[in-house]
Amino acid sequence: MPSGLLDRLGMSQPLVLAPMSGSSTPALVSAVSRAGGLGSHGVGYLAPQAILDDAAKIRALTDRPFALNLFVLPDEFDEDEAAIDQARASLDALMEREGLAVRTTRPERWAPRFSDQFAALCEARPAVASFTFNLLTPEQMHELRRRDIAIVGNATSLAEVRAWATLGPDAISLQGAEAGGHRGTFLHEPEDAMVGLFALIRLAARAVDIPLIAGGGIMDGRGMAAAEMLGASVAQLGTAFLGCPESAAAAAWKQDIPATEDTRVATIRSFSGRAARGRRNTYVDALEAQAGRLPPYPVMNALTSPLRKAAAAAGRGDLVSEWCGQAAGLARIMPAAELVAILLEEYAQARESLA
């Protein structure tokens, strides 16, 4: 195991908690960090003050290093009024049909300004900052480096790996096609960058001399060891932790995860306006056919927010965005600390077997 990367990221174990925006919590992040891994908190949906508040909560729970993750987005977004009207009509009709007593609203902003979020992240000074959806500017890289914040960029293809490599991050996080949640693709159409994790690791390891974090479909210690054997320095797991009591995933969603069939995991645009991997459910069956006519992220994501909140409160997992990776059926429902202990035991046994 390349000790340099673990030391740089403040880890003693080769395990990263995927930064699951909307599902990660300070309790989940701190549990993984306390166990020697790197807890990552997805803060892409949060306002700047909420980012600072959550960073303080994590520090109150652990003195171990942690990561904050942001979506790299423009500060302002185009508004297609016809697409917005169509989306609102379709969503309102679905909610009425499914018996949910809420309707869409138009928020003051579709999403927080990235520049404000980035400033808050710099003020919070996590040990590690990771970024998805696009590259940082050289100026932003400089701002992080002068605060001694380790930088991790997300890539879904070899071209994206090389693009991040030119900026000199501390590590590159590889998002294989098997990964759950939003696709981080930024140089291609998402369907053109559905590269399997094991292929992506080998391609990236040959192309760049930068430590690699492997994510996508890894649910146990054997998968962690396999990723390492192929050239990754660290394994990143997200879906494996969704069912933990510390996760903010809706209760009904947590119940659905272990029962997810491999053929029911699909690439979905209709929840947020951006390609994401998750479980086909009632919502997806009703709205996905319209995905091409719906507004892009983050507009669609904001419009579906009332429905997702109401569905979660009503125990309707089939109407929330049940993001999950390809191997969701391998999920184990238990507290995060127990899961980390099992994962590391499995990892050690797998390495011993290989030796």
Side-chain angles (χ1 to χ4, degrees), residues 329-355:
L330 297 177
R332 293 167 284 197
I333 308 302
M334 61 181 67
E338 293 181 24
L339 179 56
V340 171
I342 290 174
L343 289 168
L344 294 177
E345 181 179 358
E346 293 171 344
Y347 166 76
Q349 290 174 349
R351 291 196 70 195
E352 182 178 350
S353 176
L354 289 169

Side-chain angles (χ1 to χ4, degrees), residues 9 15 49 70 113 117 121 134 168 173 177 248 259 315 321 334 338:
L9 301 187
L15 170 64
Q49 186 58 52
L70 282 177
R113 287 184 176 85
Q117 292 179 312
L121 181 146
N134 214 330
S173 178
S321 46
M334 61 181 67
E338 293 181 24

Side-chain angles (χ1 to χ4, degrees), residues 15 46 65 69 125 141 152 188 209 246 259 285 323:
L15 170 64
L46 300 184
N69 173 270
R125 294 190 73 161
M141 297 287 289
V152 178
H188 324 268
D209 188 22
E246 298 93 339
D285 291 339
W323 303 143

Side-chain angles (χ1 to χ4, degrees), residues 165-180:
T166 62
L167 293 173
D170 294 274
I172 296 175
S173 178
L174 305 177
Q175 185 186 32
E178 305 91 338

Side-chain angles (χ1 to χ4, degrees), residues 21 34 38 44 78 84 152 182 184 193 232 236 267 334:
S21 293
R34 283 197 304 268
L38 180 69
D78 294 333
I84 291 171
V152 178
H182 282 105
Q236 178 169 281
T267 303
M334 61 181 67

